[in-house]
Amino acid sequence: MTGPTVMRVAPTVEWAQRRDRIFLTINVRDCPKNYKLDIDNKKITFSGNNEQGNKEYVLDLDLYGAVNKEKYKMLASDRSIQLCLTRVEEGEYWPRLLETKIKCHFLKTDFNKWKDEDETDDEDESANWESMMNNMNIGGTELGSEDEIADSDDDDLPDLEDDKDIEKLE
């Protein structure tokens, strides 16, 4: 007699990066306590079983660059494990998360956390948007110049009805 069949699957992993850190989200359902996570300089391994015991999540990531295995933050829930890893060398963005150039079906970009390399972390987007709108050259003239194009909306409007005409109707 055989026991229940256990299916081995690779969990979906989402990632994003900054110049000094890597964000990883390992999406595992119903695996709140039954897991093992190892973080090494260039390797991350994860294994765990769901509560029903019919799925075994297995993950083995060989990273493109080195991370500080002592300095990382982790937030675990019953749906995912989120990691914030500190890179050993701050600098240019990695061209990919993994050392290999082979496309992995379980690895996806986390666009909710992604910032391009030329964006700064402390940049206030609303102030940047206002600045961009103020610097736009609308209609070929600079705002506030004396050569502004006349706008017909600025003309005085005639009265719609004369008060005398209203009295006659009554």
Side-chain angles (χ1 to χ4, degrees), residues 15 17 22 63-67 87 92-97:
W15 81 288
Q17 65 178 320
I22 302 292
L63 300 175
Y64 179 83
V67 295
R87 290 176 40 178
E92 292 186 23
Y93 276 30
W94 294 351
R96 58 190 173 277
L97 177 65

Side-chain angles (χ1 to χ4, degrees), residues 3-169:
T5 304
V6 177
M7 183 172 42
R8 293 185 82 176
V9 294
T12 303
V13 176
E14 296 175 345
W15 81 288
Q17 65 178 320
R18 302 286 188 282
R19 293 184 184 277
D20 60 341
R21 59 189 177 256
I22 302 292
F23 299 105
L24 278 181
T25 302
I26 303 170
N27 294 307
V28 288
R29 217 177 253 182
D30 301 326
C31 188
K33 299 174 187 159
N34 306 328
Y35 66 87
K36 182 181 179 191
L37 177 67
D38 291 320
I39 299 174
D40 202 4
N41 287 342
K42 288 194 75 173
K43 188 175 190 91
I44 296 175
T45 56
F46 173 84
S47 63
N49 295 319
N50 66 350
E51 288 181 342
Q52 294 80 18
N54 60 355
K55 277 188 187 175
E56 181 183 7
Y57 295 105
V58 179
L59 185 65
D60 190 11
L61 302 175
D62 292 319
L63 300 175
Y64 179 83
V67 295
N68 189 335
K69 66 181 183 179
E70 309 298 323
K71 288 185 179 180
Y72 70 90
K73 294 179 184 176
M74 181 176 86
L75 175 64
S77 70
D78 58 345
R79 296 184 82 52
S80 67
I81 297 171
Q82 297 181 26
L83 299 169
C84 179
L85 307 166
T86 305
R87 290 176 40 178
V88 170
E89 294 180 19
E90 183 177 329
E92 292 186 23
Y93 276 30
W94 294 351
R96 58 190 173 277
L97 177 65
L98 303 180
E99 191 172 49
T100 181
K101 291 184 179 182
I102 298 172
K103 173 86 172 137
C104 298
H105 69 282
F106 59 86
L107 187 60
K108 300 177 185 204
T109 304
D110 189 347
F111 288 106
N112 293 327
K113 295 178 183 168
W114 189 270
K115 283 197 177 198
D116 287 330
E117 193 169 0
D118 55 354
E119 293 181 50
T120 59
D121 290 336
D122 55 319
E123 190 174 88
D124 182 14
E125 292 181 20
S126 61
N128 188 27
W129 179 257
E130 281 184 35
S131 171
M132 182 180 74
M133 292 304 289
N134 288 336
N135 291 332
M136 289 182 75
N137 188 1
I138 300 172
T141 62
E142 291 186 29
L143 295 177
S145 71
E146 294 178 18
D147 299 330
E148 286 186 32
I149 299 172
D151 189 359
S152 64
D153 292 342
D154 294 339
D155 295 339
D156 291 333
L157 295 175
D159 291 334
L160 294 176
E161 296 180 6
D162 198 16
D163 291 338
K164 295 176 185 174
D165 293 336
I166 295 175
E167 290 176 6
K168 289 178 185 177
L169 293 173

